[in-house]
Amino acid sequence: MSETRHNWTKEEILDIYNKPLMELLYDAATIHREHHDPNTVQVSTLLSIKTGGCPEDCGYCPQAARYHTDIEGNDLMKVSHVKAQALRAKASGSSRVCMGAAWRNVKDGPEFDQVLEMVRTINKLDMEVCCTLGMLTENQAHRLAEAGLYAYNHNLDTSEDYYKDVISTRAFEDRLDTIDNVRKSNVTVCSGGIIGMGEEIEDRAGMLVALASLNPQPESVPINSLVAVEGTPMADMDPVSIWDMIRMVATTRIVMPETQVRLSAGRTEMSREGQAMCFFAGANSIFAGDKLLTTPNPDVNEDMEMFKLLGLNPQKAFTKVSQPKTVEASESKLQPLGEKPKWSRPGHKIERNEEAKAKSKVVD
C-alpha cells in the first residue's frame, strides 16, 4: 500500500501532474482503491448561515463587501432554520452539513454562541458538522469541538507565492495558523483551494506541497474550479477545462492518499462524463444542493441520478472518524476569553481588486 508522505517537492508534484493522462489516471485510481471504497462518495450540503458583507478582498468572492455583486446578504440564521435545512439535507442523502459565515475571523459573543448551538443541534441529528467561519483561536477551536464539531474548513486557496495576487487583507501564514489551532482540538481539518484564478501550474503544485506537508494531512481537500461572478475582480477569467480538473484531482489523490478529495465548486460546468473521470481519478466527496454558499451547484436529484448511473453510494456519517460527543452550553467547562488576536493585514495593493472596488463605487 502506498505510504503517506509529507516531504513532496514541487518538482515531484509537477512531474505527476504532467504525466500522460492515461498513466496519471491509472496511478491515481490504483492508489484510490488502496485506501478507499471506489464506489462510495461522501455527500455534504453547504449552508450559508451568514451571507455577504465580508471585509476581506478575496478576488474570487462575491461576498466581499467592497465589490458590487448581486448577492443578497442576510444576518446570521436562526438555529431552528438551520435544523430544518439539515433535516432536509439528511433526507436527500447528505451525511454532512457545512455551515459558512462571511466573517474575517470568529469573535466571541452572542453570534458565536449561536453557531455553537447550531453545531450541537446538527450533531444530535447524527450528521457530521463542518464550519467555515474564518480565522479562529485555539480556545474557539476547543469550544467548537466541545459542541460536537466534526470538521473545520479553512482553504489555503492557492500557493503561498500566488496568494498575494489574490488577497491583500490577510496573509498565507494566517491560514496555516488557523489550521494549527484546529489541530490542537479533536476537530478534523478540511482545506483545499481554487484553480482557474490566473495561477500557473507551478502554483497548483505549490498549494499541494503546502497541504501535503501538513502532519497530519487534511482529512478533506476540496478542489474548486473558479466560478467567475460578475462584479468580482476575477469576473473575466476563462473557465478551467475539465482536463485541468481531472489532472488536479488525480495529482491530489496521489500525494494525499488517505484524504477525501472533494469535487467542489464548478460542477455545474462539468458533464457527467467529466465528473465520472474525476471520481475514477480519486474524488470521493461532493457538495450537493442547488447552491454553494452563493454560487450555482447541480440539483441534488441530478446528483442522485448520476450516482445511480455510475453505481455510486453515498457514504454514511462518521465512517472515517467517530462521532464527537456534544457538551451542552450549561455544562461547558470552556469560557470565552475575549481574545483579540492580531491577524495580519499585509496592506499591499492588488490592481484588479482595486479596479473592481472602484467600479463598485461608481455603480453605487
Side-chain angles (χ1 to χ4, degrees):
M1 181 174 282
S2 56
E3 63 177 273
T4 298
R5 287 177 49 191
H6 302 277
N7 61 345
W8 290 96
T9 66
K10 187 186 292 186
E11 291 70 28
E12 287 177 315
I13 292 177
L14 284 171
D15 285 344
I16 293 170
Y17 186 97
N18 290 315
K19 279 186 178 184
L21 185 62
M22 295 306 148
E23 185 178 344
L24 175 61
L25 285 173
Y26 178 82
D27 290 348
T30 300
I31 289 174
H32 185 52
R33 281 154 177 73
E34 288 178 354
H35 295 271
H36 307 273
D37 178 353
N39 298 316
T40 299
V41 174
Q42 194 274 324
V43 182
S44 297
T45 293
L46 185 56
L47 182 62
S48 181
I49 57 173
K50 190 274 178 186
T51 306
C54 183
E56 302 278 44
D57 77 333
C58 307
Y60 54 80
C61 186
Q63 298 203 63
R66 66 190 66 202
Y67 309 134
H68 184 81
T69 64
D70 293 329
I71 299 304
E72 185 176 338
N74 66 267
D75 295 331
L76 191 64
M77 278 187 183
K78 294 180 179 179
V79 176
S80 58
H81 188 184
V82 169
K83 181 178 181 179
Q85 296 278 55
L87 287 169
R88 187 177 307 159
K90 186 175 183 179
S92 66
S94 287
S95 60
R96 179 184 295 189
V97 171
C98 300
M99 299 185 291
W103 293 338
R104 169 176 163 82
N105 59 278
V106 175
K107 296 178 181 177
D108 292 337
E111 287 197 329
F112 185 43
D113 292 341
Q114 192 169 327
V115 171
L116 293 172
E117 195 56 38
M118 293 175 190
V119 171
R120 295 184 184 97
T121 299
I122 297 175
N123 191 45
K124 291 174 190 175
L125 298 178
D126 296 326
M127 298 184 76
E128 297 171 8
V129 195
C130 178
C131 282
T132 179
L133 311 169
M135 282 89 78
L136 83 168
T137 66
E138 181 182 349
N139 183 63
Q140 290 163 344
H142 281 296
R143 293 181 70 198
L144 285 164
E146 185 188 56
L149 190 70
Y150 184 90
Y152 195 83
N153 167 263
H154 204 60
N155 289 336
L156 296 186
D157 291 335
T158 187
S159 70
E160 184 171 9
D161 290 338
Y162 193 64
Y163 194 86
K164 63 183 179 297
D165 294 312
V166 178
I167 303 159
S168 72
T169 51
R170 62 170 185 254
F172 192 80
E173 193 64 32
D174 293 329
R175 317 302 281 174
L176 297 176
D177 288 346
T178 290
I179 291 172
D180 185 54
N181 286 336
V182 173
R183 280 295 182 211
K184 292 172 183 175
S185 70
N186 63 355
V187 174
T188 64
V189 168
C190 175
S191 185
I194 307 169
I195 66 172
M197 299 191 295
E199 76 286 347
E200 302 293 334
I201 294 175
E202 287 78 8
D203 292 305
R204 298 174 188 178
M207 181 184 76
L208 292 182
V209 168
L211 290 167
S213 298
L214 297 172
N215 193 4
Q217 293 174 347
E219 285 79 2
S220 174
V221 172
I223 301 298
N224 297 275
S225 171
L226 176 70
V227 177
V229 178
E230 189 66 31
T232 65
M234 295 184 176
D236 297 326
M237 288 289 180
D238 293 329
V240 168
S241 79
I242 186 60
W243 306 112
D244 284 350
M245 282 296 292
I246 293 167
R247 285 188 177 277
M248 192 65 183
V249 165
T251 305
T252 304
R253 170 51 65 223
I254 291 169
V255 302
M256 288 180 274
E258 296 182 64
T259 291
Q260 293 211 265
V261 179
R262 190 187 304 280
L263 192 59
S264 297
R267 283 202 302 120
T268 52
E269 303 303 314
M270 300 179 200
S271 67
R272 284 184 174 178
E273 293 85 354
Q275 291 181 70
M277 290 189 74
C278 286
F279 292 132
F280 182 76
N284 60 344
S285 182
I286 64 167
F287 281 117
D290 61 359
K291 200 175 267 191
L292 292 186
L293 293 181
T294 59
T295 55
N297 197 51
D299 178 79
V300 65
N301 293 323
E302 291 180 23
D303 283 334
M304 291 305 106
E305 287 176 12
M306 178 176 66
F307 273 34
K308 185 176 180 181
L309 180 68
L310 300 178
L312 299 175
N313 301 303
Q315 180 179 295
K316 294 181 179 178
F318 312 113
T319 297
K320 300 292 185 178
V321 177
S322 60
Q323 182 175 8
K325 294 181 179 179
T326 286
V327 175
E328 298 296 342
S330 59
E331 299 173 359
S332 173
K333 296 180 181 179
L334 298 173
Q335 298 298 321
L337 301 179
E339 301 164 283
K340 294 182 179 180
K342 294 188 179 299
W343 301 106
S344 66
R345 293 184 183 273
H348 65 281
K349 301 292 184 182
I350 302 173
E351 185 176 346
R352 64 185 170 202
N353 290 13
E354 292 300 312
E355 289 175 356
K357 181 180 177 182
K359 287 181 182 179
S360 174
K361 289 181 179 179
V362 170
V363 173
D364 291 342

